[in-house]
Amino acid sequence: MKMSLAVENGNTLATLQAFLKRLLEKNLVDVLLVPMRTPGGTITPTLVSQVDLLDQADPLAPVLPINAATWAGKISQHQPRPRLGAVLRSCEARALVELTKMAQASLEDLIIIAIDCAGTYNPPTFLEKQAQASSNLWMELYNAARQTPQVLNPELRAACQVCEQPVYEAAPIRLRLLESDLGQSLLLEITSEIAEKLGWQANESQGMSPEVEALINSRTQAREQAFTQIRTRLEGEEGIPGVFAACVRCHNCMTVCPICYCKTCVFKSAIFDHEPMKYVEWAQQKGAYRLPADTMLFHLTRLNHMALSCVGCGMCTDACPSELPVGMVFRSIGQRLQQTFEYLPGRDVNEPLPLVTFKADEWTDIGV
Amino acid sequence: MTETKEFEPKIIAFLCNWCTYTGADLAGTSRLQYPPNVRIIRLMCSGAVDPMYVLKASLAGADGVLIGGCHPGDCHYQEGNYKARRRVIALKEILHSAGFDDDRVWLRWISASEGSRFAETVREMTEAIRAKGPNPLKQMWAV
């Protein structure tokens, strides 16, 4: 059901904090996973048990230091586990759904509190902008997200600039920030069961959804342009070896990827350590042998292992020391795969992962 | 410079223990002739072929990779070949999207009794790859 919380004294953040406090106070959850403002001014996902500390919660701050799905997974994975409330952006919620399918998370005792996202900066840009800002950063972004025609913000994280899923609708609690006039009210979509526990009734129905559609359309357009650009490179002269030429195989992209959960990743194993003369043999075969070795094998294997579940959060791009467009490569290739298998990661927790399921009567022309 | 020799394709084959490998064995015991261009690696199931194996072979310069499994419905482990089929579809899509030639990777269902089909598949693939020429990755030191 839809409802609206009045914003008092124009303090939207305090209204949001009061809402989060209520979840703990009414004993709906044992702990909250929520972005908090640290004493140093940075924002970081935090597990909060004490109500008054939520004065430092800041889910509106437009920054995504990590995809918190990883932690929502660790904290919900198996019994005994807390009743967890997790304040997540759309890409985090969708990653969490994928992790649930991979048995790395559980939604059983977990309430996703999804916040509509107007886009995020990477941490250094965020800190810089925060230091200079005259007005508040998130208000600027939410206002801009409702403008028509849409103007692309080149300072946002690359993934956010092309994010066509800023809203995660399947959450039991959704803060409809893109539909709210944030100085006045905070709109919610909430299950009646949860509303009842919080002692609330429906009091509002309509939001400002047409503007959200405009945002989604312009982001989709931007995404298609970005896909065309990267595909031209991938399928052209340069190819994937050219695009990833500067890769140093630091594995950062894999480490920050919410989908890559394997604790014993083959690329961290000794499989790829060889006897000295083996390297010489390879150098002789091709005349020369690029180091670090196996960068291409690494990326292509990772594509095979996780691209179907890629939610496009773009953490990989942010983490790359060589500033390679990792996320765009994975998203553009992932999208084709997802279309082939008619699969949308994060859409439905009951939809099986494409590579663990099958139909006997599909692709019958293959293999004959 | 070494003398330029006529191109002989090198094909790495990942064959399932129960069907295609046994089919290859039958081709041998039946004394069927087929090109010596194929190097066979036996696995317990086509469903055990991690795409990484195929990628490693291709990046190292194999001209073709053949994956052989039981016919649909005949998998010794009930469903390994169905899963292999999906993985190969994904792998080929990725290879294609990344700018590589995905026609160098073949998946074929060959049963334990189909020795002649195995020999025929190797003949067919060897000629198809010969027509394509060497895997360009063989010369690329930077991958």
Side-chain angles (χ1 to χ4, degrees), chain A residues 11-24 32-39 42-62 87 89 115 126 138 175:
Chain A
N11 193 342
T12 317
L13 184 57
T15 311
L16 179 48
Q17 288 166 346
F19 168 72
L20 294 175
K21 286 178 182 178
R22 201 171 173 101
L23 300 178
L24 279 178
L32 267 178
L33 175 63
V34 60
M36 293 271 279
R37 183 170 290 275
T38 67
T42 56
I43 304 289
T44 189
T46 306
L47 193 63
V48 183
S49 66
Q50 192 179 318
V51 174
D52 61 355
L53 285 175
L54 287 171
D55 286 335
Q56 289 152 63
D58 195 352
L60 296 174
V87 182
R89 291 170 191 273
I115 56 172
F126 169 74
W138 57 264
L175 293 155

Side-chain angles (χ1 to χ4, degrees), chain A residues 56-361:
Chain A
Q56 289 152 63
D58 195 352
L60 296 174
V63 60
L64 193 69
I66 65 162
N67 187 316
T70 307
W71 286 96
K74 286 184 201 290
I75 299 164
S76 67
Q77 191 178 18
H78 53 70
Q79 298 277 16
R81 60 178 160 234
R83 291 171 307 145
L84 175 67
V87 182
L88 302 173
R89 291 170 191 273
S90 169
C91 56
E92 297 176 299
R94 285 178 281 122
L96 181 60
V97 167
E98 291 305 289
L99 285 175
T100 305
K101 294 176 191 178
M102 297 164 178
Q104 302 303 307
S106 168
L107 298 178
E108 221 150 280
D109 297 309
L110 191 153
I111 295 177
I112 296 178
I113 301 134
I115 56 172
D116 289 3
C117 181
T120 55
Y121 301 108
N122 63 28
T125 312
F126 169 74
L127 287 176
E128 200 179 303
K129 291 193 78 73
Q130 185 171 253
Q132 303 163 348
S134 45
S135 65
N136 78 41
L137 286 179
W138 57 264
M139 190 65 107
E140 281 172 22
L141 288 180
Y142 281 100
N143 286 340
R146 277 201 296 270
Q147 265 167 17
T148 29
Q150 274 289 309
V151 186
L152 214 65
N153 180 350
E155 285 183 309
L156 289 181
R157 296 168 57 244
C160 298
Q161 291 180 38
V162 299
C163 171
E164 80 294 33
Q165 297 184 74
V167 174
Y168 180 74
E169 287 184 355
I173 300 177
R174 172 161 82 89
L175 293 155
R176 295 149 59 209
L177 302 180
L178 286 166
E179 299 169 41
S180 309
D181 181 356
L182 287 171
Q184 303 295 317
S185 62
L186 210 57
L187 305 188
L188 295 175
E189 174 90 46
I190 190 166
T191 65
S192 37
E193 188 194 351
I194 292 176
E196 194 181 322
K197 284 181 187 161
L198 293 174
W200 278 339
Q201 288 171 344
N203 64 355
E204 192 274 341
S205 58
Q206 281 309 306
M208 303 189 284
S209 48
E211 285 86 345
V212 178
E213 269 169 45
L215 175 70
I216 290 171
N217 288 339
S218 93
R219 291 272 185 78
T220 307
Q221 264 177 20
R223 184 198 71 184
E224 287 310 312
Q225 273 175 15
F227 281 178
T228 307
Q229 230 170 32
I230 197 75
R231 282 174 185 156
T232 310
R233 290 181 66 189
L234 289 172
E235 289 159 23
E237 192 88 331
E238 203 179 355
I240 203 168
V243 175
F244 282 143
C247 174
V248 295
R249 234 191 96 184
C250 64
H251 297 165
N252 280 5
C253 48
M254 176 175 92
T255 307
V256 298
C257 178
I259 304 302
C260 268
Y261 68 83
C262 294
K263 284 158 186 73
T264 50
C265 175
V266 67
F267 285 98
K268 285 183 181 164
S269 73
I271 279 195
F272 295 102
D273 293 340
H274 302 282
E275 291 299 312
M277 289 312 286
K278 196 70 199 169
Y279 295 108
V280 176
E281 188 185 310
W282 285 324
Q284 285 168 342
Q285 266 171 19
K286 290 190 179 185
Y289 191 62
R290 182 199 192 276
L291 302 171
D294 295 316
T295 49
M296 211 36 48
L297 183 65
F298 168 66
H299 289 293
L300 289 167
T301 301
R302 215 167 76 80
L303 274 164
N304 275 278
H305 287 174
M306 57 62 63
L308 267 160
S309 288
C310 175
V311 294
C313 69
M315 298 318 301
C316 47
T317 302
D318 293 354
C320 180
S322 302
E323 300 188 352
L324 302 174
V326 192
M328 205 52 77
V329 171
F330 276 64
R331 256 209 94 181
S332 68
I333 295 179
Q335 192 220 21
R336 282 199 177 150
L337 283 179
Q338 290 159 16
Q339 278 172 350
T340 300
F341 291 97
E342 294 171 352
Y343 182 75
L344 196 63
R347 174 168 55 190
D348 178 1
V349 72
N350 297 313
E351 197 175 8
L353 294 164
L355 295 186
V356 303
T357 187
F358 65 90
K359 292 191 196 97
D361 59 352

Side-chain angles (χ1 to χ4, degrees), chain B residues 55-121:
Chain B
L55 291 165
K56 177 75 183 171
S58 303
L59 290 165
D63 299 299
V65 176
L66 171 66
I67 299 161
C70 307
H71 285 272
D74 290 350
C75 177
H76 188 77
Y77 308 100
Q78 316 302 332
E79 53 193 43
N81 52 358
Y82 288 122
K83 289 179 177 169
R85 179 162 67 187
R86 283 193 162 218
R87 276 187 213 141
V88 168
I89 285 163
L91 169 64
K92 284 168 80 82
E93 178 83 64
I94 289 167
L95 285 173
H96 175 77
S97 298
F100 297 119
D101 179 5
D102 66 294
D103 286 337
R104 290 180 184 273
V105 178
W106 288 28
L107 172 67
R108 289 293 182 272
W109 311 131
I110 300 169
S111 79
S113 63
E114 291 178 317
S116 60
R117 177 167 153 79
F118 177 78
E120 182 52 40
T121 301

Side-chain angles (χ1 to χ4, degrees), chain B residues 34-35 38 66 117-127:
Chain B
Y34 64 84
V38 65
L66 171 66
R117 177 167 153 79
F118 177 78
E120 182 52 40
T121 301
V122 174
R123 269 196 292 273
E124 193 193 335
M125 187 163 183
T126 305
E127 287 324 303

